[in-house]
Amino acid sequence: MQINGAVALVTGANRGIGRQFASQLLDRGARVYATARRPELVDLPGATVLALDITDPASVAAAAEAAPDVNLLINNAGVTTATDLVGGDLAEVRRELDTHFWGTLSVIRAFAAQLGDGAILNVLSALSWFAHPGSGAYSVAKAAEWSLTNSVRLELAAQRTLVTGLHMGAVDTDMMAGYDIPKLDPADVARQALDAIEADRIEVLADGTAVAVKASLAADPADFYFPARR
Ligand SMILES: NC(=O)c1ccc[n+]([C@@H]2O[C@H](COP(=O)([O-])OP(=O)(O)OC[C@H]3O[C@@H](n4cnc5c(N)ncnc54)[C@H](OP(=O)(O)O)[C@@H]3O)[C@@H](O)[C@H]2O)c1
């Protein structure tokens, strides 16, 4: 897919990785709908700013009506609530799934018909493929979004829409502000993903964490989760 001349829509474009996507898409010659729950927070000269809360069906329908020419959909919006599945607040578990799974799916359903031989990029995570203490709700939601990505790819193959999943470990955004660990530059993540779309690739592993976690799935899970017992 050629980004120069494409019409892109980015969810959660007001900050973090989403802002990088919108900015780099403009640099690569796309027209860009930069969407956010609070559109007044979007500061991207050259972008068309729209309100969009992906968990609100009326907001999704209004955005689809306001942007009828989109052929590149970047599903970036996400939350992390650090909620355990067994002992945590069930409302927060639901919020993770409402955002990453139901929200992403409702945006795809609203825009799919107009995408044609364009593309969808779903911003997933290495945590689609593993659990970490405290990541229960997030991992479930990202795993569901990964599975959604694979099914939507098959369902939209007849209309030749490219459906790409992006996986990575920690990225230096507000979402990871509380963690003092090595983090990817969000600009580098967006660049890798946009390069992949232009190369018609269906999966992007943006760092060594994503590569290692994916490789671990082929081994005994005890090696990954309980290495001290091996
Ligand atoms: N940071 C990481 O380490 C990392 C790693 C792997 C994957 N990811 C994924 O990367 C994506 C972007 O995350 P980020 O790191 O850029 O996080 P971030 O800086 O916290 O930004 C999250 C963005 O999503 C928006 N958002 C949340 N809920 C929304 C909703 N219901 N409707 C519309 N927008 C909504 C936020 O809007 P508000 O400003 O209104 O809250 C914000 O613009 C997410 O899908 C995340 O899961 C992040």
Side-chain angles (χ1 to χ4, degrees):
M1 154 150 213
Q2 223 191 333
I3 289 176
N4 186 14
V7 181
L9 183 142
V10 182
T11 65
N14 54 305
R15 59 192 175 102
I17 304 168
R19 189 178 191 287
Q20 282 298 327
F21 271 121
S23 161
Q24 292 186 27
L25 283 160
L26 288 166
D27 290 346
R28 292 182 189 220
R31 281 205 290 122
V32 175
Y33 293 101
T35 75
R37 291 194 279 202
R38 293 175 58 198
E40 69 276 14
L41 298 180
V42 178
D43 167 25
L44 285 163
T48 302
V49 179
L50 289 179
L52 176 54
D53 180 337
I54 67 167
T55 62
D56 175 353
S59 175
V60 173
E65 198 176 324
D69 47 356
V70 171
N71 68 344
L72 172 54
L73 173 62
I74 310 279
N75 286 309
N76 163 79
V79 292
T80 185
T81 65
T83 306
D84 286 337
L85 294 176
V86 180
D89 180 351
L90 207 50
E92 290 292 77
V93 180
R94 288 189 195 283
R95 185 156 76 93
E96 295 260 14
L97 280 152
D98 282 346
T99 306
H100 297 285
F101 177 71
W102 292 109
T104 301
L105 180 58
S106 77
V107 173
I108 289 171
R109 288 169 64 102
F111 283 90
Q114 58 168 283
L115 294 175
D117 64 355
I120 297 172
L121 175 76
N122 289 342
V123 180
L124 306 171
S125 169
L127 279 162
S128 315
W129 291 324
F130 79 108
H132 188 264
S135 81
Y138 185 85
S139 291
V140 164
K142 283 301 194 192
E145 193 182 2
W146 171 56
S147 184
L148 169 166
T149 303
N150 293 329
S151 290
V152 167
R153 179 179 303 121
L154 295 179
E155 292 174 25
L156 297 187
Q159 67 176 46
R160 298 174 50 79
T161 306
L162 173 72
V163 180
T164 300
L166 166 64
H167 301 262
M168 64 279 189
V171 186
D172 193 5
T173 66
D174 295 344
M175 187 174 276
M176 290 299 289
Y179 298 85
D180 187 15
I181 54 173
K183 297 173 204 171
L184 287 165
D185 180 345
D188 182 44
V189 174
R191 182 188 53 73
Q192 289 192 57
L194 295 180
D195 286 350
I197 288 170
E198 293 203 295
D200 291 334
R201 283 168 44 208
I202 64 172
E203 185 171 273
V204 189
L205 306 179
D207 63 359
T209 302
V211 171
V213 168
K214 186 178 180 191
S216 78
L217 296 176
D220 185 332
D223 295 344
F224 188 89
Y225 288 104
F226 306 114
R229 295 189 201 164
R230 306 300 282 172

